[in-house]
Amino acid sequence: MAPLIFLLTITLLTTPAISSVGSFVYGGCSQIKYTPGCPYESNVNSLLTSLVNSATLTVYNNFTIKSPTSQDTLYGLFQCQGDLSNVDCASCVARAVSQLGTLCPDSSGGALQLDGCFVKYDNTTFLGVEDKTEVLKKCGPLIAYDSDGLNRRDGVLDYLGTSDGSYKPFRVGGSGDVSAVAQCVQDLSASECQDCLSEVVGRLKTYCGAAASGDLYLAKCYVRFSKAGAHSYGGNDLKVKTQKGESHNPAVDDDDDDDDDEEEKTLAILVGLIAAVALLIVFLTFLKKRLWKR
């Protein structure tokens, strides 16, 4: 299987609805194409629909679509940032699946990272496989940190890259005007996740030095940090909050949860709508290919 070719691009979308979670970060497609109408295409459509449907219930899941021939067996997963609501997670994954269809038409494998979620599929298994391939590095402008400010920034990053003995694939940290977020894909074991995040933190401090902000994505984990006002992710300053009941750095100010109840009320309606939209996208893509062949 040829490696995915990544498009290392950052765009800041200004659509108010989900601009902070739906902004394009990077994408990649396999060089190998499948023939439209073949069994593999049906497997891809089935897998992507399953990812969208599952995202209404959880922030992570993986699927394997088995076939009589090994080359038609398909593996896939999605993961949302750990503090997203079910509504935002489902919306993000639905958008990612839609963009994958445009970015990687007829590709046997593809991966897409939006600001709030990650989707990947391939016919070579990657589930549970640690991968430290660097796919995106971005540093903000250099600024004049005082010694205390730089120590706070490094302290936040070190906190994210240090294990407390529990499995925490999603982590947040902050001190003063510096905030940061880290996450590894949950198909990794606790030790693999820790190894990946420690690697990112070390590289990020080396790459970005005294930068006001920095993003570093490896294939299976990422770390982002930002000094207040330095830059925005998807139109909003980097904001992080912990999941309910999760221990965290006390220097971090959790976002208010006042909107949670209202989001849950709309979830039941959006679940059906998102699933219907995903199925419609798959059907229209299939129909368009058939019309082009004529």
Side-chain angles (χ1 to χ4, degrees):
M1 183 70 184
L4 299 180
I5 306 300
F6 286 99
L7 309 177
L8 304 184
T9 308
I10 290 253
T11 58
L12 300 181
L13 303 182
T14 57
T15 303
I18 57 169
S19 62
S20 62
V21 298
S23 300
F24 180 83
V25 178
Y26 70 80
C29 310
S30 170
Q31 294 175 297
I32 299 177
K33 302 286 186 177
Y34 60 79
T35 303
C38 69
Y40 191 78
E41 180 180 41
S42 177
N43 288 348
V44 170
N45 292 339
S46 177
L47 174 74
L48 295 180
T49 300
S50 295
L51 296 181
V52 173
N53 290 339
S54 182
T56 63
L57 304 173
T58 181
V59 296
Y60 166 79
N61 208 348
N62 68 75
F63 294 88
T64 299
I65 307 294
K66 293 187 177 181
S67 292
T69 56
S70 59
Q71 63 267 28
D72 288 335
T73 296
L74 188 63
Y75 310 88
L77 62 76
F78 77 89
Q79 176 162 285
C80 292
Q81 185 167 296
D83 59 349
L84 288 191
S85 67
N86 292 123
V87 172
D88 287 341
C89 179
S91 297
C92 188
V93 172
R95 174 173 286 204
V97 166
S98 176
Q99 291 188 15
L100 263 177
T102 301
L103 182 69
C104 304
D106 302 337
S107 290
S108 59
L112 185 68
Q113 176 75 58
L114 300 184
D115 196 58
C117 63
F118 175 67
V119 172
K120 182 175 181 178
Y121 71 95
D122 208 333
N123 65 351
T124 299
T125 184
F126 57 89
L127 300 177
V129 178
E130 189 174 9
D131 187 351
K132 298 180 183 178
T133 303
E134 190 173 300
V135 292
L136 175 66
K137 175 181 66 178
K138 180 175 170 56
C139 300
L142 297 179
I143 60 174
Y145 280 102
D146 57 33
S147 59
D148 288 341
L150 192 57
N151 287 337
R152 284 197 304 272
R153 194 282 310 272
D154 288 348
V156 171
L157 293 178
D158 289 339
Y159 168 77
L160 296 182
T162 301
S163 173
D164 65 359
S166 62
Y167 181 46
K168 291 182 179 178
F170 175 66
R171 307 174 186 184
V172 297
S175 179
D177 58 357
V178 176
S179 57
V181 59
Q183 189 166 22
C184 58
V185 181
Q186 293 182 53
D187 64 327
L188 296 182
S189 68
S191 61
E192 290 170 336
C193 174
Q194 181 57 46
D195 182 51
C196 192
L197 291 178
S198 297
E199 179 77 16
V200 176
V201 167
R203 293 192 201 181
L204 190 57
K205 289 195 289 187
T206 299
Y207 291 155
C208 292
S213 61
D215 307 346
L216 182 59
Y217 287 80
L218 305 187
K220 283 295 183 76
C221 67
Y222 69 83
V223 174
R224 301 182 297 170
F225 76 89
S226 178
K227 192 174 186 297
H231 74 202
S232 61
Y233 293 92
N236 297 303
D237 286 341
L238 173 61
K239 295 180 180 179
V240 291
K241 67 178 181 179
T242 59
Q243 294 171 299
K244 295 178 181 178
E246 180 186 54
S247 61
H248 62 95
N249 186 343
V252 178
D253 292 326
D254 290 348
D255 289 343
D256 292 334
D257 293 325
D258 294 340
D259 294 333
D260 288 352
D261 292 338
E262 189 63 29
E263 289 177 347
E264 294 300 326
K265 291 178 182 178
T266 61
L267 178 59
I269 298 174
L270 289 177
V271 166
L273 290 176
I274 291 170
V277 169
L279 292 172
L280 181 61
I281 291 170
V282 170
F283 174 74
L284 291 177
T285 301
F286 178 81
L287 182 61
K288 181 171 66 175
K289 291 176 182 178
R290 285 292 173 271
L291 293 175
W292 282 353
K293 290 179 67 177
R294 295 181 182 179

